[in-house]
Amino acid sequence: MSMKPLEFDRRYGELDQVISAYTGMPADDEPDEPSEALRAYLRHTWHTRPWALATAERQIREYARSPPGRLRLSLGEFYPVPDVGLPQSAIQEWLFVIADHLKRSIEEGDVPPPAAPGTHWEWHARFPELGQFLGGWFSQDMPDEFADHDAAVHDYTTTTHPQLLARLTGELHELLALALEEPEYALAVAELGMEVDPPQPYSPSGWLAHLADTLGGFKADYGPGPAAAD
């Protein structure tokens, strides 16, 4: 019988977060040099959930010390490490290397400076609502579903909770605050799921700024209004 979600999170929740950071990235960590995937996890987690780093180190080290056998994996009692491009015989040593990097980062207070995301995982971890918006409303099927970009934006604003609208607006401003070069903004929207070009005459950054202004001015019908004057 598979583990209940609460038990899974207690034992493997943060381990899963770390392993997910390796999606599409090489697991090429060395004892003296973390991989790009692990650097992305450290950068994002230090600035958003620093307390989770110790949990990750503990869960990874405990898992590496007691790797599951086939029977327990088949019963769903252990976390099955996805394919990260390493032979099965190398997984245990690799996990210990990751745990050592996490421990060193915590003990030395080695906080990565803020920077633009460096991996696909980090883009989505840092801008989750923007990823939902671009991937859900501006996929390659957008021209078949909506008359134009404005119609897609209108559909999003009329079907999404106001708090998520506010979150998306904040993420747009945060992305623009990175002050990237234009090709980097094109890469950013592609990483976040956009599969169509911005509407004419906008560049990727220009359209993001236009969206931020549009959503910032959106007035949702929720909550109490201003008190009436006496």
Side-chain angles (χ1 to χ4, degrees):
M1 180 182 294
S2 298
M3 282 185 295
K4 299 296 184 181
L6 181 59
E7 180 64 17
F8 178 89
D9 284 345
R10 284 173 174 169
R11 297 172 65 180
Y12 309 121
E14 200 58 31
L15 162 63
D16 186 51
Q17 287 292 312
V18 176
I19 301 302
S20 296
Y22 285 82
T23 302
M25 300 293 294
D28 54 358
D29 302 88
E30 298 291 342
D32 59 347
E33 185 68 26
S35 65
E36 180 59 32
L38 186 57
R39 285 197 294 268
Y41 171 82
L42 285 166
R43 180 167 51 240
H44 178 71
T45 308
W46 263 116
H47 291 284
T48 57
R49 302 180 303 122
W51 57 87
L53 293 166
T55 301
E57 189 271 341
R58 174 181 57 78
Q59 290 183 355
I60 291 171
R61 198 175 298 280
E62 289 178 354
Y63 186 95
R65 286 171 177 161
S66 303
R70 293 181 180 179
L71 175 61
R72 302 200 74 177
L73 278 174
S74 67
L75 293 174
E77 296 179 5
F78 271 88
Y79 173 76
V81 175
D83 184 6
V84 292
L86 295 175
Q88 192 64 35
S89 59
I91 294 293
Q92 186 178 31
E93 180 181 357
W94 171 64
L95 291 173
F96 277 127
V97 170
I98 292 177
D100 288 343
H101 279 303
L102 291 170
K103 180 181 180 181
R104 187 178 306 117
S105 180
I106 296 167
E107 291 182 340
E108 297 178 1
D110 184 13
V111 182
T119 68
H120 180 77
W121 173 88
E122 192 179 5
W123 279 109
H124 283 268
R126 185 165 175 180
F127 300 103
E129 190 57 34
L130 185 53
Q132 288 287 331
F133 172 65
L134 294 178
W137 276 262
F138 293 94
S139 70
Q140 61 184 354
D141 297 326
M142 196 250 351
D144 298 326
E145 298 176 357
F146 303 105
D148 53 25
H149 291 66
D150 287 343
V153 173
H154 177 75
D155 183 76
Y156 172 84
T157 58
T158 55
T159 59
T160 301
H161 194 281
Q163 291 185 20
L164 296 180
L165 290 176
R167 185 175 302 167
L168 174 62
T169 304
E171 290 183 11
L172 285 166
H173 284 290
E174 182 178 352
L175 178 53
L176 291 166
L178 294 176
L180 305 175
E181 298 293 332
E182 200 58 51
E184 294 173 305
Y185 277 113
L187 173 63
V189 296
E191 289 280 8
L192 290 167
M194 188 171 182
E195 297 177 334
V196 296
D197 292 331
Q200 293 295 329
Y202 294 107
S203 64
S205 67
W207 185 62
L208 292 172
H210 171 70
L211 279 174
D213 289 341
T214 299
L215 295 175
F218 180 76
K219 303 299 183 184
D221 183 18
Y222 68 99
D230 291 336

